[in-house]
């Protein structure tokens, strides 16, 4: 049985003030690290963040147009939401795509798949392309039903929509996974495998397929990749391999 208490605040036995202080400093440290990674962003991240915000405001006025026929705004349908944001960004001049990661189960890691957006930004100044990730439902992925106030304070700092570089996402994931582990441990609760660092890494930073088509899913493999895009795709592979060992990213091939 799980502990039924609503809080997972530290349970201090024996009233040791060292434990209390250690806990305090852990949570303060996590909060500070998180704020650094959430708020200090580059110009390109800021302009993409603004474009994504505009896209969402526009999409809130449109409806689901896929085979799922979900009632209400297109935002209620993750398929339509992602496709429409990607299309808007492409029309604004960004090299945006829908990314799909898929992984098999291995040692404590259940299998799964995840879909999100990214933008490959090329500049003359930087040697390699910069990959910016866009997760439209970011905050909710870290929410926990019986979390402590300390943990919830961190969740509140997360943006609902994440737009930022891979490195920053990787840092945030690490901070949040450490915090979740701590919170659950303090309350002697089991940590679901989907909350673990390994799972989060597979979800966003594992091998992925990039689909630049914003049409229906059946169009995915029928798009034409221009030679220029092929060069970019291969540069992305090299870039990611350098930064993330044992992982690779492949572009969608023409079938
Ligand atoms: Zn839809």
């Amino acid at each position: 049985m799980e502990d039924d208490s609503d809080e997972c605040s530290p349970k201090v036995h024996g009233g040791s003030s060292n434990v209390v202080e250690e806990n305090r400093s852990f949570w303060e440290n996590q909060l500070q690290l998180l704020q650094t990674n959430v708020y200090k962003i580059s110009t390109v991240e800021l302009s993409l963040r603004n474009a994504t915000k505009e896209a969402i405001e526009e999409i809130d006025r449109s409806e689901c147009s896929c085979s799922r026929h979900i009632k209400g705004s297109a935002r209620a349908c993750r398929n339509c939401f992602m496709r429409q944001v990607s299309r808007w960004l492409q029309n604004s001049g960004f090299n945006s795509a829908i990314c799909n990661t898929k992984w098999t189960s291995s040692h404590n890691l259940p299998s799964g798949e995840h879909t999100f957006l990214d933008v490959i930004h090329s500049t003359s100044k930087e040697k390699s392309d910069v990959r910016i990730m866009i997760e439209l439902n970011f905050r909710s992925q870290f929410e926990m039903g019986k979390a402590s106030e300390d943990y919830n304070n961190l969740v509140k700092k997360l943006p609902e929509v994440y737009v930022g570089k891979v490195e920053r996402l990787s840092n945030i994931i690490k901070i949040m996974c450490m915090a979740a582990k701590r919170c659950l441990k303090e309350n002697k609760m089991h940590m679901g495998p989907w909350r673990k660092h390994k799972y989060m890494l597979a979800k966003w930073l594992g091998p992925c397929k990039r689909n630049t088509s914003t049409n229906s899913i059946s169009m995915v493999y029928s798009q034409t990749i221009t030679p220029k895009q092929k060069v970019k795709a291969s540069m992305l592979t090299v870039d990611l391999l350098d930064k993330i060992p044992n992982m690779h990213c492949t572009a969608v091939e023409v079938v």
Side-chain angles (χ1 to χ4, degrees), residues 55-56 58-60 62-88 98 115 117 136-137 213-217:
I56 293 171
E58 185 64 30
I59 289 159
D60 274 339
S62 65
E63 290 175 351
C64 164
S65 57
C66 73
S67 56
R68 297 170 73 197
H69 304 297
I70 290 178
K71 295 255 189 301
S73 144
R75 209 205 265 236
C77 173
R78 196 167 155 89
N79 275 351
C80 287
F81 194 21
M82 283 193 296
R83 280 192 296 118
Q84 290 189 21
V85 171
S86 191
R87 187 180 299 152
W88 175 282
I98 295 175
T115 314
L117 304 177
L136 298 171
N137 299 95
S213 167
T214 56
N215 296 318
S216 65
I217 300 302

Side-chain angles (χ1 to χ4, degrees), residues 103 108-109 142 167 169-181 191-206 247:
W103 60 96
N108 294 335
L109 176 77
F142 297 93
E167 296 84 349
L169 176 65
S170 170
N171 291 343
I172 295 175
I173 289 171
K174 203 172 169 188
I175 295 163
M176 293 309 293
C177 288
M178 273 177 77
K181 196 175 172 184
M191 189 169 184
W194 65 93
R195 295 202 181 280
K196 290 186 176 164
H197 192 217
K198 212 171 158 185
Y199 191 92
M200 297 273 184
L201 287 179
K203 196 166 157 180
W204 283 299
L205 305 172
M247 290 182 181

